[in-house]
Amino acid sequence: MKTTETPAPLPAESGGPVTKVDGASAGRSERKKKEGHVLNAFSHGFLILWAFMVVLPLLWAVMTSFKDDRSIFSSPWSLPDKLHFDNWSRAWTQANMSDYFLNTILVVGGSLIGTLVLGSMAAYVLARFDFPGNRFIYYLFIGGMSFPIMLALVPLFYVVNNMGLLNTIHGLILVYIAYSLPFTVFFLTAFFRTLPTSVAEAAFVDGASHSRTFFQIMLPMAKPGLISVGIFNFLGQWNQYMLPTVLNTDPDKRVLTQGLVQLAVSQGYKGDWSGLFAGLVMAMLPVLAAYIVFQRQVVQGLTAGALK
């Protein structure tokens, strides 16, 4: 007896009926797309609002620095009728902004170099070598990050005074280095742990010493992390006000933050508001320039540990 073979089902033609399973999956994908569009629109809207809130005061300060005093009060939101560059020259010369800039560059430059050198050396040792007390020293640095600087101002004043470093540039540099080391060591220790150990081991096999391996091999590999922590330290040290106010009372050695406060007081009494805004913009420009130039390196340093 011959049996009749059942023909195989033909594939559904394009435009044919869709099964229930396909319809449900298509509905879920459509809902996910809609939710994704709503989330993207909300996040983009929030970012635009945040950018507007940040950029608008900066642009207004720059615009106001080129106005005269009458225009600042009569039409604060309008563009200047002409660019008054004399506001900048008056703030630079008469308000001693040039001296404040020089003192700040000396203090921040010296402390930034010292912080990166000492912090990277300490972080490399803590990240690559196991010795008794390694974790204890590491947690001491972390504890230094949580210690409020205001609690140390009075004893710090007496320590610096007893060492003969009060009202000196190098004394302020040493205090800035000590203030910035905990975060630097914490940041760079995590970064050095992500670097490959095979390169350092190959250098040791070739006869390189520990110092040569660190300075010629490991330190260049840690360049993204150094730039990132350098930017953060630069911002913190450039805007530092509490420490120089307590430890630097000499008018000839004031840094920029102290000079801005003095400028605000003196120009406020004189009614020279245009010169005050010019001084504020002068203090703001180096920070913006540093971040604009190194923004890509900052992002690479922050994401390097996650990408490895």
Side-chain angles (χ1 to χ4, degrees):
M1 180 180 295
K2 296 181 178 180
T3 59
T4 304
E5 296 181 357
T6 305
L10 297 176
E13 297 180 357
S14 59
V18 181
T19 60
K20 293 183 179 180
V21 177
D22 294 337
S25 61
R28 286 194 298 269
S29 62
E30 289 295 331
R31 286 194 298 270
K32 290 182 179 179
K33 288 181 179 180
K34 291 181 180 179
E35 293 176 357
H37 290 320
V38 172
L39 182 60
N40 289 334
F42 176 77
S43 60
H44 283 78
F46 179 77
L47 291 177
I48 292 174
L49 178 61
W50 180 261
F52 180 79
M53 294 172 60
V54 172
V55 173
L56 182 61
L58 299 180
L59 294 179
W60 181 78
V62 174
M63 180 184 66
T64 308
S65 66
F66 291 103
K67 290 183 176 182
D68 55 1
D69 294 331
R70 180 182 300 176
S71 301
I72 292 177
F73 291 98
S74 60
S75 54
W77 299 106
S78 63
L79 295 174
D81 52 354
K82 66 175 183 178
L83 299 180
H84 296 270
F85 290 101
D86 57 321
N87 299 336
W88 290 63
S89 61
R90 190 168 61 254
W92 184 258
T93 56
Q94 298 180 11
N96 299 324
M97 291 294 294
S98 58
D99 298 334
Y100 302 149
F101 254 97
L102 179 60
N103 294 335
T104 305
I105 290 174
L106 292 176
V107 172
V108 175
S111 61
L112 191 61
I113 294 174
T115 302
L116 292 180
V117 172
L118 297 177
S120 60
M121 294 172 66
Y124 176 73
V125 172
L126 292 175
R128 293 301 179 130
F129 298 96
D130 292 330
F131 56 89
N134 182 302
R135 304 306 297 173
F136 177 74
I137 297 175
Y138 176 71
Y139 287 125
L140 277 181
F141 280 108
I142 295 180
M145 295 173 56
S146 61
F147 188 80
I149 191 61
M150 289 183 292
L151 296 180
L153 288 178
V154 175
L156 185 61
F157 174 85
Y158 286 106
V159 170
V160 175
N161 188 27
N162 293 333
M163 296 176 64
L165 299 176
L166 195 64
N167 297 328
T168 60
I169 297 295
H170 52 281
L172 203 57
I173 290 175
L174 293 177
V175 174
Y176 275 22
I177 292 175
Y179 172 75
S180 304
L181 268 181
F183 173 74
T184 303
V185 173
F186 170 75
F187 187 94
L188 291 180
T189 300
F191 191 87
F192 275 118
R193 287 172 180 169
T194 63
L195 299 181
T197 59
S198 58
V199 180
E201 293 173 353
F204 290 142
V205 171
D206 292 339
S209 61
H210 288 288
S211 59
R212 185 177 180 181
T213 302
F214 171 71
F215 285 106
Q216 295 187 1
I217 298 176
M218 303 305 295
L219 201 60
M221 293 175 62
K223 182 181 177 180
L226 291 174
I227 293 177
S228 298
V229 76
I231 290 295
F232 292 135
N233 286 329
F234 172 77
L235 296 178
Q237 294 173 2
W238 186 272
N239 297 322
Q240 181 60 241
Y241 175 71
M242 187 69 68
L243 289 176
T245 300
V246 176
L247 305 176
N248 186 27
T249 57
D250 190 353
D252 295 331
K253 297 178 181 178
R254 287 174 177 166
V255 295
L256 195 58
T257 50
Q258 295 175 285
L260 285 177
V261 174
Q262 180 64 28
L263 179 63
V265 175
S266 61
Q267 302 299 76
Y269 282 112
K270 294 177 183 178
D272 190 5
W273 297 100
S274 56
L276 175 59
F277 276 98
L280 292 175
V281 176
M282 286 181 187
M284 182 177 59
L285 287 180
V287 177
L288 293 178
Y291 184 78
I292 291 173
V293 172
F294 296 106
Q295 59 176 338
R296 181 172 297 179
Q297 287 81 356
V298 171
V299 175
Q300 290 178 356
L302 293 176
T303 58
L307 295 176
K308 290 184 178 294

